[in-house]
Amino acid sequence: MVASGTSLGVGMVGYAFMGAAHSQAWRTAHRFFDLPLQPDMAVLCGRDPHAVAAAARKLGWRSVETDWKQLLRRDDVGLVDVCTPGDTHAEIAIAALDAGKHVLCEKPLANSVAEARAMVAAAERARAAGVRSMVGFNYRRVPAVSLARKLVAEGRIGQVRHVRAQYLQDWIVDPEFPLVWRLQADKAGSGALGDIGAHIVDMAQFVIDDRLSGVSALTETFVKERPLPAAASGLSASGGAGSSARGPVTVDDAALFFGRFGGGAVASFEATRFATGRKNAIRLEVNGSAGSLAFDFESMNELSFYDGTEDPETAGFRRILVTEPTHPYAGAWWPPGHLLGYEHSFTHEVVDLVTDLAADRDPTPSFADGLQVQLVLDAVARSAAAGSGWQPVDTAEEA
């Protein structure tokens, strides 16, 4: 199921925002990295035959299907890439794993803890037969974020005490922006919490190599109803302004919470789609007993580092330009100082996944890792619903 000869047949379900990002990764990975298997973009799947055919031509897929179940029956597909809304993740991923296909599934893993647990169970069944799975938290693969994890692991900032994480967007500030699927709980599961909050939960846990054990949270929906869309794709839509047909927003617009990590560090998290003027601002700062690290996605090729052991007279935050050949992933790209972008994080995701599949080892983050993030999101939702009271984060083993 891994490959035919030296290639890996890929079938992708979904072709909008994430589908385009993943397609770029599958096209590019083997052209810059020496991969043990060459991705074969075998088939793209979508419900609209004309739209999916046009997307396949544009994105580089060699055939199309309009039924994902048919995709699973194809012998030229060894891996299924799930880039659909969250309400379909569990059904597609579980069926693919049961059919003996490796699976890459976009985050968040599922719309509920129950769905995520079922996906983990399917992944464990498949793993026994050598079939692997991974959830797509792409920001882990930004070189500066991977370098931050390395510096923490090496003890460069000492014992971690504080973590601050933000993910700020503004794409639905306009109350006339249409009611797209990301604003509907039955399709998206949650709003800013699951869509972008999941990223900073994973990033923070990844960088300090620790997990949240409890949270206190609040959420808010600022615009309670919106006009129905005429058309939508990714983070854009049309047909809302002036429409008399409206529907309720059933997810959060913003989520804020405090947390405590198992190792004792305290944390604050903020995820919002109402930070006017902020398009995709992701910020992470980690303070330790001997230093600090700070990352800002709007300067994604940089990492700020403070070494608290230096002479105070000259000590200060230094800017590390993370483009040296010795930095994570950077050596496969351009000469030092030539910058990488958002799309490269998905390419690195594919590189790591294909490398792990060829080595017959478990990729990370696993479905179990995705479940753990889902458990944090669930604790945040429970706390917000209970007046911000402290809620423990359940463990994967708990019912």
Side-chain angles (χ1 to χ4, degrees), residues 369-395:
D369 295 326
L371 167 60
Q372 192 277 330
V373 171
Q374 199 77 39
L375 290 166
V376 174
L377 304 183
D378 180 69
V380 170
R382 286 188 282 113
S383 174
S388 303
W390 188 260
Q391 291 287 336
V393 175
D394 293 338
T395 66

Side-chain angles (χ1 to χ4, degrees), residues 48 108 122 138 239 243 248 276 296 360 370:
D48 184 321
N138 63 293
S243 173
T276 306
D296 185 340
D360 196 26

Side-chain angles (χ1 to χ4, degrees), residues 142-174:
V142 172
V145 174
S146 292
L147 178 61
R149 174 182 168 92
K150 179 175 181 286
L151 294 176
V152 172
E154 291 173 349
R156 298 292 297 275
I157 67 168
Q159 180 183 357
V160 176
R161 291 172 173 166
H162 284 281
V163 176
R164 298 177 195 86
Q166 294 179 310
Y167 201 144
L168 313 177
Q169 296 180 336
D170 74 348
W171 59 279
I172 57 170
V173 166
D174 181 357

